[in-house]
Amino acid sequence: MKNPNILISVIVYNEEENINSVVDDILSFPNLDLIVIDNGSFDNTVNILKEKKINYITHCVNSGNSAGTLMTYMKYGFLNNYDIICQFDGDGQHIAKELYKIIDPIKNNEADYVIGSRFLDKIGFQSSFFRRIAIKIFANIDSLIIGHKVTDVTSGFRAYGKKVIELFGNYYKHEIYDTNQLLLLSYFAGARICEVPVKMRERVHGKSEFNILNSVTFPFKGLVNILGTLLFNKQIKKFNI
Ligand SMILES: Nc1nc2c(ncn2[C@@H]2O[C@H](COP(=O)(O)OP(=O)(O)O)[C@@H](O)[C@H]2O)c(=O)[nH]1
Ligand SMILES: [Mg+2]
């Protein structure tokens, strides 16, 4: 693909301390378009975006977790005819100069869904202990289902090609609850999924949506969601990427 239209979708919820530097990092790459999806922040995040004249969409209410932002940017990306969307966290964990690593496999028509994994080269921030256990469980199940190994299945550093954007931006009309569901639905629709090594940092300010309590409940919710996706994926199979 020559000169694809690329959208970077930064997802935020109360990131007033991080959003400035995250946005500046992305804006230093002039060939990338930027949209910020605000998941109902009640701090100063939206005011900062307004002041900086950054394109943003804001949810009236918080959806409960970061996955609630997915359908919003997929719809925006579809309506605005983007070839590639990258999801990028608004907490300073992701690094803009790493973006080409997740973009290139799509640009070269080698994949439709690319996960930036911090566990392949094992450099940079490796996530908390409880979180790593949950990710390992999901990674093993997802790998089994999709038929090849994936390691960082809940990574927020991802890129999607045009067909995946159309799938969720136009065809699929239900809520997405977590990243496993997104990955498996994409797989059932025929997306080629690949993982590339990336470097991430630790969140700069503020706290992760995962604490000890929900790190324990997270695997159970995730498993129910995987099961649901396995049972009710008929509609998505018809899309045929
Ligand atoms: N906690 C939380 N974060 C959200 C939500 N919606 C979007 N986000 C953003 O999602 C990104 C990832 O969230 P984070 O808590 O850092 O998750 P982690 O990186 O997986 O530990 C951050 O940029 C958040 O600001 C939400 O409803 N809750
Ligand atoms: Mg984070």
Side-chain angles (χ1 to χ4, degrees):
M1 205 186 302
K2 257 193 185 173
N3 304 321
N5 296 322
I6 304 174
L7 175 68
I8 310 302
S9 169
V10 173
I11 60 167
V12 290
Y13 180 54
N14 296 335
E15 297 288 3
E16 63 182 6
E17 291 177 295
N18 297 313
I19 191 64
N20 251 309
S21 54
V22 168
V23 160
D24 289 346
D25 188 18
I26 295 166
L27 291 178
S28 67
F29 295 83
N31 55 333
L32 303 172
D33 287 357
L34 169 64
I35 180 88
V36 178
I37 312 295
D38 166 55
N39 201 357
S41 296
F42 51 83
D43 69 353
N44 222 13
T45 303
V46 170
N47 289 333
I48 294 170
L49 293 170
K50 257 188 219 158
E51 253 167 50
K52 288 178 86 79
K53 298 194 167 49
I54 300 295
N55 211 5
Y56 70 89
I57 294 173
T58 191
H59 289 181
C60 305
V61 285
N62 176 246
S63 68
N65 71 15
S66 55
T69 58
L70 283 165
M71 293 301 264
T72 307
Y73 65 68
M74 291 288 193
K75 176 65 88 187
Y76 179 88
F78 175 74
L79 292 176
N80 291 285
N81 210 18
Y82 280 99
D83 300 308
I84 300 174
I85 299 181
C86 300
Q87 184 186 301
F88 197 98
D89 284 357
D91 60 358
Q93 278 197 270
H94 298 162
I95 302 165
K97 77 170 187 316
E98 298 275 294
L99 276 165
Y100 76 93
K101 294 182 181 170
I102 55 171
I103 290 171
D104 280 356
I106 296 182
K107 224 170 145 179
N108 300 334
N109 194 23
E110 293 156 359
D112 307 294
Y113 185 119
V114 183
I115 305 166
S117 169
R118 61 208 128 163
F119 304 135
L120 288 175
D121 280 354
K122 293 196 169 59
I123 47 165
F125 178 60
Q126 296 286 296
S127 196
S128 67
F129 175 72
F130 285 112
R131 191 73 195 287
R132 279 207 307 274
I133 295 177
I135 296 172
K136 189 118 201 160
I137 297 171
F138 291 146
N140 284 331
I141 297 173
D142 291 346
S143 301
L144 209 70
I145 298 171
I146 72 171
H148 64 87
K149 194 174 171 197
V150 277
T151 60
D152 204 354
V153 282
T154 67
S155 163
F157 196 61
R158 297 189 292 268
Y160 322 100
K162 211 171 171 69
K163 292 299 280 182
V164 174
I165 299 169
E166 186 188 340
L167 171 67
F168 294 107
N170 192 41
Y171 180 76
Y172 189 74
K173 301 287 183 200
H174 308 282
E175 201 172 337
I176 302 280
Y177 298 101
D178 67 20
T179 315
N180 288 305
Q181 189 187 358
L182 186 79
L183 176 87
L184 295 179
L185 289 174
S186 303
Y187 167 73
F188 287 128
R192 294 163 297 167
I193 294 162
C194 86
E195 217 176 26
V196 295
V198 296
K199 189 176 171 192
M200 288 185 201
R201 291 185 288 241
E202 195 159 359
R203 171 184 262 284
V204 182
H205 301 280
K207 282 195 186 130
S208 162
E209 63 186 311
F210 294 95
N211 50 42
I212 292 189
L213 186 71
N214 63 20
S215 289
V216 175
T217 55
F218 170 61
F220 297 102
K221 280 193 195 162
L223 290 175
V224 171
N225 218 359
I226 290 175
L227 196 66
T229 310
L230 282 174
L231 291 173
F232 305 108
N233 60 40
K234 251 196 192 137
Q235 179 203 359
I236 212 98
K237 276 183 173 161
K238 287 189 204 142
F239 184 77
N240 211 356
I241 289 182

